[in-house]
Amino acid sequence: MPVEHLYVVDTSILSELAKDPCEQDSSLRNWLTKVSPDTLHVPYGAALEIERGIHRLRDVNPQKAAQLDHWFEELISCKLPFLPMTRRAVRLHAEMTSEKALKHFWINDPRCRRPRPCQDLAIAASAIAHDACVVTRNVSDFELIGRYFPLPGILNPIDQTNVFETPISPTTFH
C-alpha cells in the first residue's frame, strides 16, 4: 500500500473551498476526491490569513463574516484539521525571515495601500517541518521560497498546466 503524502492547504485553496460547491473549481473538486481527507491540513499561516480576512470583513459585511467564521470553524474542527506551528517550524520560519532574497514575503512595501501579513513563509516552514506538500494556486512564490529552503512538494490542483510535485524526502536545514 503506497504511503500517502501529507498536504498543507494554502489560503488560495481554502478561499476556493469557501465558495458555494457549484462555484468551486471542478479541477480542485476532482483532486479532492482522489486524496484521503486525513492527509489534508490547515497550517498556522493559512489559518491566520483566513481569520484576518474574516475579522476585516466584520465591519463591512457582518453577515458574510459570520457565515465565513462558521464555515472556517466547521472546516478545521471536522474536515481539515489545524496543523499547529511546531518549534521546528518556528525556527525554520525565523531562518526564512533572515534570508534577504525572501524579504518581500515578510516586510510590506511602504508604498502599499493595504499592507497584509503575508504568511507564505510560515506555510512553507510548516510544510517542511511536517514533510508536507504545499497545495496552492500560488506556485511561483513557493517555488521561490523552495530555492532557498527546499520544500517537500508544491502542488496546484486547479491549474493543471502549472503543477509540479516533488517527492517527500527528509529536509536538510541551512
Side-chain angles (χ1 to χ4, degrees):
M1 179 175 213
V3 175
E4 297 229 29
H5 292 188
L6 181 66
Y7 298 97
V8 293
V9 183
D10 182 32
T11 312
S12 61
I13 299 296
L14 292 173
S15 296
E16 186 70 24
L17 294 175
K19 295 178 182 177
D20 186 270
C22 65
E23 295 176 9
Q24 293 173 359
D25 185 274
S26 60
S27 297
L28 175 60
R29 285 196 324 269
N30 184 44
W31 179 77
L32 287 169
T33 65
K34 296 176 181 176
V35 297
S36 170
D38 298 339
T39 63
L40 302 170
H41 293 80
V42 176
Y44 165 83
L48 175 66
E49 288 179 334
I50 293 291
E51 290 287 357
R52 185 171 189 270
I54 293 168
H55 180 75
R56 291 180 58 112
L57 190 58
R58 283 192 178 101
D59 291 337
V60 180
N61 188 340
Q63 185 176 358
K64 180 70 173 177
Q67 176 188 353
L68 288 171
D69 192 41
H70 175 75
W71 161 80
F72 192 58
E73 185 62 37
E74 185 177 305
L75 183 77
I76 60 174
S77 63
C78 302
K79 297 176 184 167
L80 301 181
F82 176 72
L83 189 64
M85 191 72 152
T86 64
R87 176 74 173 128
R88 183 174 177 211
V90 168
R91 283 185 162 176
L92 185 54
H93 187 214
E95 188 176 344
M96 289 175 170
T97 62
S98 299
E99 176 58 56
K100 288 181 182 174
L102 303 177
K103 180 179 179 180
H104 68 282
F105 286 112
W106 56 276
I107 295 180
N108 283 300
D109 184 330
R111 298 167 294 190
C112 183
R113 290 175 35 129
R114 289 184 59 189
R116 60 183 181 82
C118 181
Q119 294 296 310
D120 289 351
L121 294 178
I123 293 166
S126 291
I128 294 168
H130 293 280
D131 287 329
C133 178
V134 178
V135 181
T136 185
R137 293 186 85 166
N138 187 8
V139 171
S140 61
D141 282 351
F142 286 98
E143 285 178 322
L144 177 59
I145 294 167
R147 286 187 207 146
Y148 299 90
F149 298 88
L151 292 161
I154 304 170
L155 173 64
N156 179 347
I158 293 174
D159 181 4
Q160 295 299 312
T161 60
N162 191 20
V163 173
F164 89 89
E165 187 173 4
T166 56
I168 303 294
S169 61
T171 305
T172 321
F173 290 93
H174 295 152

